[in-house]
Amino acid sequence: HTFTGMVITRLSFSLINLLNNADGGFKLNIGFACLFAFSITIAVGVLWEVIEFLADSWFDLNMQRSYESTVEGERGLALVGREALLDTMKDLILDGIGAIIVCTACSIFVIKSGKSVEHLSVIKRKRRERHLKVHEDEQQKQGEKSKYEPLQAEMIENKSE
């Protein structure tokens, strides 16, 4: 569960960047990004525990370890109280620990490197220039004059300065 928590947290940073529009978006605070990523990780962990509960209920499994295990593989006595919750709580705590490890590492990276939260994304966004080029090519194929020409001219000017 710790590793899964780490992976989900890392992917959550990509989700943050996909939701934040790069062209009209704003610079995200690393604290907000970590809080969001941590929350997503815990929510996915809770969803998984619900799946375990349903699997135990519908298919008579013991995924949540609510029964003692026996050597013969048969179901033992039902656990009660705190013992019945140990597996679920341990799993959620491990998800949280994985999320905290990744959030801490990502925070240190952003603070020390001076880079933005966008650099934490596993899924890279297309650069605006490439996006404009694709639209330009599509419009030229259709025989239309590009409405992006002024923007492209401005970008070329900025590069030459």
Side-chain angles (χ1 to χ4, degrees):
H1 277 270
T2 305
F3 179 73
T4 303
M6 294 170 84
V7 170
I8 293 168
T9 303
R10 195 69 176 92
L11 291 173
S12 296
F13 282 109
S14 294
L15 178 62
I16 292 167
N17 288 318
L18 289 173
L19 293 175
N20 185 35
N21 183 356
D23 296 331
F26 52 92
K27 186 175 179 183
L28 292 172
N29 178 304
I30 185 64
F32 169 77
C34 285
L35 178 64
F36 184 84
F38 181 83
S39 299
I40 292 291
T41 302
I42 295 301
V44 170
V46 168
L47 180 63
W48 177 253
E49 292 304 319
V50 169
I51 291 169
E52 282 187 356
F53 172 79
L54 293 174
D56 287 351
S57 300
W58 293 342
F59 304 112
D60 200 31
L61 301 174
N62 192 22
M63 292 178 72
Q64 288 189 310
R65 310 285 186 252
S66 54
Y67 295 94
E68 290 179 347
S69 297
T70 63
V71 178
E72 297 84 30
E74 295 179 17
R75 179 177 290 173
L77 297 173
L79 298 175
V80 180
R82 183 177 173 84
E83 287 89 21
L85 293 173
L86 283 178
D87 180 71
T88 299
M89 295 312 299
K90 177 189 62 109
D91 290 349
L92 292 174
I93 289 168
L94 290 174
D95 287 338
I97 289 171
I100 289 170
I101 290 169
V102 171
C103 286
T104 302
C106 289
S107 295
I108 291 169
F109 170 78
V110 167
I111 291 168
K112 288 197 175 201
S113 70
K115 295 185 177 184
S116 68
V117 174
E118 247 183 37
H119 287 86
L120 299 176
S121 184
V122 176
I123 303 166
K124 301 296 180 190
R125 294 183 66 108
K126 292 180 182 176
R127 301 200 85 161
R128 186 171 187 207
E129 296 169 15
R130 198 171 354 152
H131 180 72
L132 291 174
K133 178 69 176 145
V134 168
H135 284 295
E136 175 72 22
D137 291 343
E138 287 173 1
Q139 287 182 345
Q140 284 179 355
K141 285 178 186 175
Q142 296 172 358
E144 300 174 4
K145 185 175 178 177
S146 173
K147 61 184 176 184
Y148 295 104
E149 283 181 17
L151 289 173
Q152 288 176 330
E154 181 183 322
M155 290 170 68
I156 291 169
E157 262 181 42
N158 290 340
K159 282 185 180 178
S160 64
E161 291 176 358

